Amino acid sequence: MRDHPGTTVTEIAGRTGPARSQVSNCVARLRGAGAAVAEPDPRDGRRTLLSPAAEPSDRMRAVRETPLGPALAAATSDPDEALARLERLSSLLRQAAPRRSR
């Protein structure tokens, strides 16, 4: 949404790969956290256009300020698993990087 404001769930799913239902669930959580806003498409009232919230909510500020280390430690106490998760995250971020330039 940040790179494509005014996008739809279907468009996000097409760009990123997950099923539309998964994207819809993520968008619902982002909206609930105050990180995303939705408005009807003025050209087609059946569609909902999604954009990032103009200002981060208190919840989003708290998430952004939370260090990754403690969150990862809470997810697993196994150093090898933690490293594997970080490597997976790094891989996903590298894969997503070219999409931002579209």
Side-chain angles (χ1 to χ4, degrees):
M1 285 185 290
R2 182 187 67 219
D3 295 338
H4 302 277
T7 192
T8 66
V9 166
T10 301
E11 292 166 346
I12 293 170
R15 282 192 303 272
T16 60
R20 197 169 66 88
S21 61
Q22 291 175 309
V23 173
S24 182
N25 288 336
C26 289
V27 167
R29 287 194 306 269
L30 289 169
R31 289 179 65 195
V37 294
E39 56 190 23
D41 184 337
R43 293 171 291 169
D44 182 349
R46 297 169 296 173
R47 291 172 20 122
T48 300
L49 303 179
L50 305 163
S51 297
E55 293 293 323
S57 66
D58 290 341
R59 184 172 174 195
M60 289 307 300
R61 270 192 218 84
V63 168
R64 289 178 181 165
E65 293 170 2
T66 301
L68 181 58
L72 189 57
T76 180
S77 60
D78 179 355
D80 291 332
E81 183 179 351
L83 181 58
R85 289 179 185 210
L86 285 172
E87 288 172 349
R88 176 71 176 136
L89 178 59
S90 176
S91 173
L92 290 170
L93 290 171
R94 280 194 301 276
Q95 290 174 12
R99 291 188 181 122
R100 290 188 186 126
S101 63
R102 288 183 186 168

